[in-house]
Amino acid sequence: GKHRSLRHPAALLSHMVRPLRYVDEASGDEWYRPTSLEEYRAILSRATGKALKLLCASTTDGLLKYFGSKGESGSGCVFVDITLLPELHDNRVGVDGLTVGAAMSLEQLITVLESASSGERPFQTLADHLKRVASTPIRSVASWAGNVMFTREHSNFPSDVVLLLTAAGAKFDVLLGNSSQVTTMSMEQLLATAGSPALLV
């Protein structure tokens, strides 16, 4: 048969991402998509006293039936899609090591580790171990930070990612609540903040 390429719609080519908000009148749930940390903090200020769930890939939803839902829907919960926060997609290699954004998938983390592993065997070793986590389709969409934060709220979840990052001595830049102050924590310190709003940046 014949193939004919179609032009991209002009509106799609000029599309600009923008923050979104939706309220489900029946359940009281609120859905947000901020595009900056300032917008994120403003949402948290308005959500005081409500259950909060940050969304990235949401692959951990399949685990909730085993580890409990923590009341994350249907009762006036606030859902915040953090995938458009630019700070969560950064990655760089510096004198202090490798910095990786929290919204990056496990597969992207593996790629970054392999790219940074020239002469640095520990990076390649971490990448090799991460290839054993979950399945290829899950690793392609699941964020590494989502795995860590799920473990933070479900301490009985046996996370290989948490084990690897702890062994590697990873440090985490964290925004607690709607604070503008970034706090650097070890894995142990991060896990000890369970129950309070926190964003890895």
PDB file of all heavy atoms in Angstrom, residues 147 159-168 187:
ATOM      1  N   ASN A 147       9.688   5.167  43.484  1.00  0.00           N
ATOM      2  CA  ASN A 147      10.004   3.943  44.215  1.00  0.00           C
ATOM      3  C   ASN A 147      10.473   4.264  45.633  1.00  0.00           C
ATOM      4  O   ASN A 147      10.030   3.656  46.607  1.00  0.00           O
ATOM      5  CB  ASN A 147      11.086   3.166  43.444  1.00  0.00           C
ATOM      6  CG  ASN A 147      11.400   1.825  44.050  1.00  0.00           C
ATOM      7  OD1 ASN A 147      11.953   1.744  45.139  1.00  0.00           O
ATOM      8  ND2 ASN A 147      11.066   0.767  43.335  1.00  0.00           N
ATOM      9  N   SER A 159      12.254  -2.632  48.654  1.00  0.00           N
ATOM     10  CA  SER A 159      12.726  -1.888  47.487  1.00  0.00           C
ATOM     11  C   SER A 159      14.202  -2.122  47.203  1.00  0.00           C
ATOM     12  O   SER A 159      15.068  -1.776  48.011  1.00  0.00           O
ATOM     13  CB  SER A 159      12.490  -0.388  47.701  1.00  0.00           C
ATOM     14  OG  SER A 159      13.146   0.360  46.707  1.00  0.00           O
ATOM     15  N   ASP A 160      14.497  -2.667  46.027  1.00  0.00           N
ATOM     16  CA  ASP A 160      15.886  -2.812  45.592  1.00  0.00           C
ATOM     17  C   ASP A 160      16.509  -1.458  45.310  1.00  0.00           C
ATOM     18  O   ASP A 160      17.709  -1.264  45.500  1.00  0.00           O
ATOM     19  CB  ASP A 160      15.969  -3.673  44.324  1.00  0.00           C
ATOM     20  CG  ASP A 160      15.583  -5.124  44.566  1.00  0.00           C
ATOM     21  OD1 ASP A 160      15.868  -5.622  45.667  1.00  0.00           O
ATOM     22  OD2 ASP A 160      14.984  -5.741  43.669  1.00  0.00           O
ATOM     23  N   VAL A 161      15.693  -0.505  44.840  1.00  0.00           N
ATOM     24  CA  VAL A 161      16.205   0.826  44.527  1.00  0.00           C
ATOM     25  C   VAL A 161      16.692   1.515  45.798  1.00  0.00           C
ATOM     26  O   VAL A 161      17.782   2.095  45.832  1.00  0.00           O
ATOM     27  CB  VAL A 161      15.121   1.677  43.829  1.00  0.00           C
ATOM     28  CG1 VAL A 161      15.615   3.099  43.598  1.00  0.00           C
ATOM     29  CG2 VAL A 161      14.708   1.040  42.507  1.00  0.00           C
ATOM     30  N   VAL A 162      15.901   1.433  46.865  1.00  0.00           N
ATOM     31  CA  VAL A 162      16.302   2.033  48.146  1.00  0.00           C
ATOM     32  C   VAL A 162      17.574   1.370  48.657  1.00  0.00           C
ATOM     33  O   VAL A 162      18.497   2.046  49.137  1.00  0.00           O
ATOM     34  CB  VAL A 162      15.164   1.912  49.179  1.00  0.00           C
ATOM     35  CG1 VAL A 162      15.659   2.231  50.589  1.00  0.00           C
ATOM     36  CG2 VAL A 162      14.020   2.841  48.809  1.00  0.00           C
ATOM     37  N   LEU A 163      17.655   0.061  48.547  1.00  0.00           N
ATOM     38  CA  LEU A 163      18.842  -0.667  48.998  1.00  0.00           C
ATOM     39  C   LEU A 163      20.088  -0.213  48.235  1.00  0.00           C
ATOM     40  O   LEU A 163      21.135   0.077  48.835  1.00  0.00           O
ATOM     41  CB  LEU A 163      18.625  -2.174  48.814  1.00  0.00           C
ATOM     42  CG  LEU A 163      19.776  -3.092  49.226  1.00  0.00           C
ATOM     43  CD1 LEU A 163      20.033  -2.982  50.724  1.00  0.00           C
ATOM     44  CD2 LEU A 163      19.474  -4.534  48.845  1.00  0.00           C
ATOM     45  N   LEU A 164      19.978  -0.111  46.904  1.00  0.00           N
ATOM     46  CA  LEU A 164      21.112   0.302  46.078  1.00  0.00           C
ATOM     47  C   LEU A 164      21.556   1.730  46.385  1.00  0.00           C
ATOM     48  O   LEU A 164      22.749   2.010  46.533  1.00  0.00           O
ATOM     49  CB  LEU A 164      20.753   0.189  44.597  1.00  0.00           C
ATOM     50  CG  LEU A 164      20.713  -1.217  43.995  1.00  0.00           C
ATOM     51  CD1 LEU A 164      20.135  -1.169  42.597  1.00  0.00           C
ATOM     52  CD2 LEU A 164      22.102  -1.822  43.989  1.00  0.00           C
ATOM     53  N   LEU A 165      20.589   2.645  46.477  1.00  0.00           N
ATOM     54  CA  LEU A 165      20.935   4.043  46.721  1.00  0.00           C
ATOM     55  C   LEU A 165      21.499   4.250  48.124  1.00  0.00           C
ATOM     56  O   LEU A 165      22.381   5.089  48.324  1.00  0.00           O
ATOM     57  CB  LEU A 165      19.707   4.936  46.499  1.00  0.00           C
ATOM     58  CG  LEU A 165      19.179   4.987  45.056  1.00  0.00           C
ATOM     59  CD1 LEU A 165      17.935   5.855  44.972  1.00  0.00           C
ATOM     60  CD2 LEU A 165      20.253   5.494  44.098  1.00  0.00           C
ATOM     61  N   THR A 166      21.010   3.476  49.084  1.00  0.00           N
ATOM     62  CA  THR A 166      21.567   3.544  50.441  1.00  0.00           C
ATOM     63  C   THR A 166      23.008   3.066  50.450  1.00  0.00           C
ATOM     64  O   THR A 166      23.892   3.708  51.029  1.00  0.00           O
ATOM     65  CB  THR A 166      20.729   2.701  51.420  1.00  0.00           C
ATOM     66  OG1 THR A 166      19.374   3.148  51.398  1.00  0.00           O
ATOM     67  CG2 THR A 166      21.271   2.809  52.835  1.00  0.00           C
ATOM     68  N   ALA A 167      23.251   1.933  49.777  1.00  0.00           N
ATOM     69  CA  ALA A 167      24.612   1.386  49.716  1.00  0.00           C
ATOM     70  C   ALA A 167      25.564   2.334  48.992  1.00  0.00           C
ATOM     71  O   ALA A 167      26.756   2.408  49.324  1.00  0.00           O
ATOM     72  CB  ALA A 167      24.598   0.025  49.018  1.00  0.00           C
ATOM     73  N   ALA A 168      25.036   3.084  48.018  1.00  0.00           N
ATOM     74  CA  ALA A 168      25.864   4.022  47.253  1.00  0.00           C
ATOM     75  C   ALA A 168      26.095   5.333  48.000  1.00  0.00           C
ATOM     76  O   ALA A 168      26.847   6.190  47.540  1.00  0.00           O
ATOM     77  CB  ALA A 168      25.207   4.305  45.901  1.00  0.00           C
ATOM     78  N   MET A 187      19.382   8.681  52.981  1.00  0.00           N
ATOM     79  CA  MET A 187      18.210   7.828  52.812  1.00  0.00           C
ATOM     80  C   MET A 187      17.506   7.616  54.155  1.00  0.00           C
ATOM     81  O   MET A 187      16.272   7.693  54.245  1.00  0.00           O
ATOM     82  CB  MET A 187      18.611   6.479  52.213  1.00  0.00           C
ATOM     83  CG  MET A 187      17.443   5.532  52.009  1.00  0.00           C
ATOM     84  SD  MET A 187      16.294   6.085  50.713  1.00  0.00           S
ATOM     85  CE  MET A 187      17.214   5.570  49.250  1.00  0.00           C
TER      86      MET A 187
END
